[in-house]
Amino acid sequence: MPSLKMPLPDLLDSITDLLLDAVFLVDHDGVIVHVSAACHDMLGYRPEEMIGRRQFEFLAPEDRVATEAEAARVRGGQRRVGFQNCYLHKDGRRVQLMWSARLLPEHGLRVGVARNVSSLVLAERRQSATYEITSAAHRCTELAELCVELHQILAQVVQVDAVAIVADGVGERGEAAIFFSTGDGAMQASVRERLRHWPRASDRGGAPVLVHVPCDHHVESWQALALTGQRGTNGALFLRDRTGAGGLAADAELFRFVAAQLAVAVERQQLHADLLRAARYDDLTGLPNRRLFHDRLRIALARARRTERRLALLFVDIDRFKEVNDTLGHGAGDRLLQEIAGRLALCARSSDTVARFGGDEFVMLADELARPEDASLVADKIRAAVTVPLSIGEHCVHVSASIGIALFPDHGEQAELLLRHADNAMYADKLSRCVPPAEGGAAASVL
């Protein structure tokens, strides 16, 4: 039998250094006493950088409890095969390892052989993520909820620490809305505005675009991808790039899949928003309709009772509107109503509600009035705005407004009583100014 040319420990070192898997020898206290050369390629550390340090120093924090339980089984004499945990590479990234380990009682050491299974684990997670994303896109009824779920799913696969969705046409008035997975309030205003107005034309054929957004003391990097549905581009998907250098671009295929699923969800939300708008807003003027006005009035009355504050209802009727319709046609009448609606909206505060009740009748809800006489000041403002001449085609149209006011609680505490009082006061105002009713046939002033 030939004799060995080198000591057995050195021979074993030479053999283990040829292995693609990393071999660890750890003492009873968890201190590394030997590690093979493969660990350098696997974790970025040279053997001398690890020997003498506790093995758990290199372990991902979330896996320490489970790994300690496995180590206890090995110390108890069990052989363990196939256990997986996550280690931290020297550059900070995470490496998934699969272990085979046993106790060497005669040496008081544990030996473990680690194989890098990061690619396999990542592939499994990607596949699982695609199923979860599809399920979430079809299950979530709100885009805000979907945004949070997408973040949770993607964070298991890529280094994403925030997700944002810009969706066109899903706001209450048909405007674009933006959703953040980490909460809108946590984002800088500059980030919200930059992402909301991101130019869809820079989509570059479905490839992610790196968007740099300056903040107070740093620059945030977001990967942007346009959402393209059956009716064209309907928004954008944004993922905050933790690396800050476009590191998410390697996952473009996954992001395109997410964007495709999200585009369908946005189209579904747009349809839902369209139905809600049709049920709550007037098609011609865009103002709230009777149903939405009554909802807001109910809420305002409850608040007024609780705070003991006044509110006012102003019932507005456009004098001789029917004659404009009859003289210039329905198109001109529609144009007049749209212009009047815009002028009334400009007379209201952001907290007020202006609604179209039907025909040429409008109503304004002025909430939390400081003084009763403030309602009369608003009425004067409306009259002045309505009487400004309006050009319709070749014609200059002059109209006026009859306005009735009802105050809470002076004229009633219930919605029906207040509306009835405001309506009666409007007719009284019309008669006091000698404006003949529409059936009288007098023509509006058309110059």
Side-chain angles (χ1 to χ4, degrees):
M1 181 175 179
S3 59
L4 297 174
K5 302 259 182 174
M6 64 174 68
L8 184 58
D10 293 339
L11 177 62
L12 292 175
D13 287 348
S14 299
I15 294 173
T16 57
D17 284 349
L18 294 175
L19 299 177
L20 298 179
D21 296 339
V23 180
F24 286 78
L25 287 176
V26 182
D27 67 15
H28 185 77
D29 295 324
V31 175
I32 300 171
V33 298
H34 175 81
V35 63
S36 65
C39 191
H40 182 261
D41 291 334
M42 190 177 293
L43 298 177
Y45 293 97
R46 296 188 303 275
E48 57 269 24
E49 293 180 281
M50 302 186 75
I51 293 174
R53 297 172 62 181
R54 287 180 55 83
Q55 189 176 13
F56 275 27
E57 291 182 36
F58 306 95
L59 188 65
E62 66 271 16
D63 281 349
R64 289 184 178 178
V65 173
T67 302
E68 177 56 44
E70 283 294 315
R73 295 186 182 97
V74 174
R75 288 194 297 268
Q78 297 183 43
R79 298 181 62 174
R80 305 297 295 169
V81 177
F83 173 71
Q84 293 187 33
N85 59 14
C86 180
Y87 272 63
L88 299 178
H89 193 279
K90 191 175 182 178
D91 63 11
R93 55 191 166 91
R94 292 169 178 265
V95 181
Q96 297 291 331
L97 301 181
M98 178 182 288
W99 292 87
S100 298
R102 61 167 296 181
L103 181 67
L104 302 177
E106 63 276 15
H107 300 288
L109 300 173
R110 286 176 284 135
V111 59
V113 180
R115 172 168 297 180
N116 188 345
V117 293
S118 296
S119 297
L120 177 62
V121 171
L122 184 59
E124 292 175 346
R125 288 181 178 176
R126 287 178 185 275
Q127 184 178 28
S128 176
T130 59
Y131 290 122
E132 292 180 27
I133 289 167
T134 303
S135 175
H138 288 80
R139 183 183 67 256
C140 295
T141 58
E142 300 292 337
L143 290 176
E145 176 189 3
L146 177 56
C147 189
V148 173
E149 286 214 25
L150 286 180
H151 183 192
Q152 293 172 347
I153 296 169
L154 289 174
Q156 301 176 30
V157 182
V158 293
Q159 294 186 24
V160 171
D161 57 5
V163 172
I165 299 171
V166 173
D168 297 332
V170 301
E172 186 179 15
R173 304 301 298 271
E175 71 277 13
I178 186 166
F179 307 92
F180 286 94
S181 62
T182 56
D184 197 358
M187 295 294 171
Q188 297 282 341
S190 59
V191 175
R192 294 197 299 272
E193 289 307 305
R194 180 69 179 271
L195 299 189
R196 187 190 299 273
H197 300 294
W198 173 71
R200 310 301 202 273
S202 64
D203 177 37
R204 296 194 303 198
V209 178
L210 188 62
V211 178
H212 295 295
V213 181
C215 298
D216 291 341
H217 304 292
H218 66 288
V219 175
E220 291 190 357
S221 298
W222 294 76
Q223 291 286 345
L225 200 63
L227 306 181
T228 305
Q230 295 182 350
R231 296 183 292 179
T233 300
N234 59 20
L237 167 67
F238 294 91
L239 304 109
R240 189 159 62 186
D241 190 343
R242 194 178 300 166
T243 68
L248 301 177
D251 300 282
E253 183 177 352
L254 176 62
F255 296 157
R256 280 193 290 269
F257 175 81
V258 175
Q261 296 294 317
L262 188 53
V264 174
V266 170
E267 286 187 339
R268 187 171 63 246
Q269 195 71 19
Q270 286 175 331
L271 177 59
H272 180 68
D274 289 344
L275 293 174
L276 282 180
R277 282 192 294 274
R280 303 172 70 186
Y281 288 90
D282 176 56
D283 285 339
L284 179 63
T285 64
L287 293 178
N289 60 15
R290 281 175 178 263
R291 176 180 296 179
L292 180 55
F293 178 82
H294 279 290
D295 286 344
R296 293 187 178 177
L297 177 57
R298 175 177 50 82
I299 295 172
L301 285 172
R303 183 167 54 245
R305 294 186 189 100
R306 185 175 63 253
T307 60
E308 298 183 350
R309 300 288 297 271
R310 277 188 171 86
L311 62 78
L313 291 182
L314 289 84
F315 212 104
V316 182
D317 181 82
I318 308 305
D319 300 327
R320 300 189 181 99
F321 168 75
K322 183 177 184 300
E323 282 71 28
V324 176
N325 254 354
D326 294 343
T327 305
L328 302 181
H330 292 289
D334 289 347
R335 176 72 182 87
L336 173 60
L337 289 175
Q338 291 171 337
E339 177 64 24
I340 294 299
R343 295 180 184 183
L344 290 177
L346 291 176
C347 293
R349 302 168 300 178
S350 59
S351 59
D352 298 337
T353 295
V354 178
R356 184 188 178 198
F357 255 37
D360 61 340
E361 293 182 336
F362 299 85
V363 64
M364 177 187 289
L365 168 62
D367 199 4
E368 296 188 2
L369 288 181
R371 304 172 303 166
E373 52 268 31
D374 288 345
S376 297
L377 296 177
V378 175
D380 292 340
K381 186 177 180 181
I382 291 174
R383 289 191 183 95
V386 170
T387 56
V388 175
L390 168 66
S391 296
I392 301 180
E394 299 177 354
H395 303 278
C396 185
V397 177
H398 296 258
V399 294
S400 59
S402 297
I403 304 175
I405 300 174
L407 294 173
F408 169 91
D410 309 62
H411 301 130
E413 297 189 2
Q414 302 301 321
E416 294 79 6
L417 290 176
L418 291 170
L419 285 169
R420 188 181 307 124
H421 184 92
D423 192 21
N424 292 336
M426 181 271 293
Y427 278 105
D429 180 52
K430 188 183 293 286
L431 293 175
S432 70
R433 295 183 298 108
C434 299
V435 178
E439 293 76 18
S445 176
V446 182
L447 303 179

